[in-house]
Structure formats: C-alpha cells, structure tokens
Amino acid sequence: MGRVSAEPAELPAYAEQVLDVADRIPPGRVMTYGDIAEWLGEGGPRQVGRVMALYGGTAPWWRVVRADGTLLPGHELRALEHYRAESTPLKESSSAAREAAGHIPRLDMRRARWDGGDGAHV
C-alpha cells in the first residue's frame, strides 16, 4: 500500500482520480471502494481497491473501506489508531466479545459513510 514516490512516475489517470477522492474524504468519515467508483462513474470496487493497494500509501487509505465495515486485513491496528484519533464512528461489540483475544471493532457504516457532499466533487 504505497504511492510510489522515489521518482514520481506518471500515475494512470484513473489512479489519480481515485487518490484525489480519497484525499477529499473528511477526517472521521469513510467511503467504500464501490462508493468511489460510483462517484467517479468509472471502474468498480476492485479497480479502486487495486489503485489503493498500489498507490494509496500516502493517501488517507484508512478512509477507503469495505462496505461491511470490517477493517483492512493486515492493517487493522494501524487503521484503528487513525479511526480513534479522528473519532470515526465504530461499532463496539459486547464486553464479552471485546475481551476475546484479537477483537477488532467494525466501522459504523451508517454513521461514518460520507456521500461526497459539501461541494467536494471532482
């Protein structure tokens, strides 16, 4: 998950558009891969995910998420630090579930999802 930056190569146009949308997502809010593709009117969730995997390391990658609210596998703890710092709404499980080893909350998609409003459309 890293935007290649040693010698800034020309990013594909679609990648540039995806990263621009990711950069516009306000702190404490998220968009799904599918939301971004729909907003751009091009590609789909997999294409957005591919862009984020290849180039998204310097973008706020934690704000581009799965539709079910689960955190990015392998990056859960880093993402959780960002969500807590930005007060992103999370769904905490019952206290018994929280005590289970390795419990990671999900995003509260109903409250955290951003529709791209406030005139921020590219």
Side-chain angles (χ1 to χ4, degrees):
M1 193 180 316
R3 204 187 284 192
V4 180
S5 62
E7 265 306 310
E10 187 76 23
L11 284 177
Y14 186 70
E16 199 62 55
Q17 292 173 334
V18 168
L19 295 174
D20 186 47
V21 174
D23 286 339
R24 293 169 184 258
I25 301 169
R29 304 300 296 274
V30 299
M31 287 182 93
T32 68
Y33 299 106
D35 290 341
I36 291 177
E38 184 178 324
W39 202 51
L40 291 172
E42 186 178 347
R46 289 178 190 248
Q47 289 79 11
V48 171
R50 182 81 174 141
V51 166
M52 294 304 296
L54 291 174
Y55 309 108
T58 60
W61 55 267
W62 59 92
R63 296 181 192 149
V64 182
V65 301
R66 294 174 164 193
D68 67 0
T70 58
L71 307 192
L72 183 64
H75 300 279
E76 298 95 341
L77 296 179
R78 284 180 51 216
L80 195 53
E81 288 176 20
H82 288 289
Y83 298 139
R84 289 190 170 137
E86 295 181 355
S87 299
T88 307
L90 298 169
K91 279 187 177 180
E92 297 289 347
S93 301
S94 68
S95 59
R98 275 193 296 261
E99 293 171 12
H103 169 72
I104 302 289
R106 288 181 179 226
L107 291 160
D108 184 340
M109 293 302 292
R110 187 181 57 75
R111 294 177 34 228
R113 201 172 202 164
W114 185 58
D115 65 2
D118 303 325
H121 202 283
V122 277

